[in-house]
Amino acid sequence: MPHVDVVDETFIVVPPKVVAAAFADPGAWRRYWPDLKLEVYADRGDEGLRWTVSGALVGTMEVWLEPVLDGTVVHYFLRADLPEGRPVKNVRRELTARQLAAKSVALGLKAVLEDGRAPGCAPVSA
């Protein structure tokens, strides 16, 4: 079992292709996860991306975009270990930091992509 195992889900009321575009640019990855080096091993288009992870953690990460109703459920998975030489005693702190970062990325995207959409209204982008 990996030291850090984070699973998160957030509903964003825009189509999957809009969310996929937010993850398409490697520059965005550096903004979302500045201490991780990511290499795509599966580009699933509008269904998301899968990466190998190195740097502050070593493992895999995935953003799976599932169309649901009039939007997208963003499923986030991070399964990684602390790199060799880092004390395992810090794993709880690392896990909590990664959980908070995952939700921060998702809610940040939600705010930007929904662009002030009022609850109950259809998404502007189609």
Side-chain angles (χ1 to χ4, degrees):
M1 187 163 140
H3 291 136
V4 177
D5 190 359
V6 177
V7 177
D8 186 69
E9 295 178 335
T10 303
F11 182 69
I12 301 178
V13 186
V14 296
K17 68 180 178 183
V18 175
V19 183
F23 289 106
D25 175 20
W29 311 343
R30 286 187 289 281
R31 286 189 306 277
Y32 302 148
W33 306 287
D35 61 343
L36 300 179
K37 296 175 189 154
L38 305 176
E39 267 191 58
V40 174
Y41 72 87
D43 182 343
R44 301 173 63 229
D46 290 351
E47 292 182 352
L49 293 163
R50 292 179 180 153
W51 299 272
T52 56
V53 176
S54 60
L57 296 171
V58 177
T60 62
M61 185 166 70
E62 176 179 1
V63 171
W64 167 40
L65 307 175
E66 177 185 17
V68 175
L69 300 173
D70 60 348
T72 305
V73 174
V74 179
H75 301 271
Y76 172 80
F77 305 94
L78 172 63
R79 293 186 173 94
D81 290 315
L82 298 174
E84 203 169 305
R86 274 197 57 205
V88 177
K89 68 178 184 171
N90 296 333
V91 76
R92 180 42 109 190
R93 187 176 328 142
E94 186 72 29
L95 177 59
T96 300
R98 297 298 170 170
Q99 290 167 329
L100 293 172
K103 192 48 84 177
S104 177
V105 167
L107 292 178
L109 282 173
K110 184 175 181 67
V112 169
L113 297 177
E114 289 184 358
D115 192 27
R117 180 196 63 83
C121 294
V124 176
S125 310

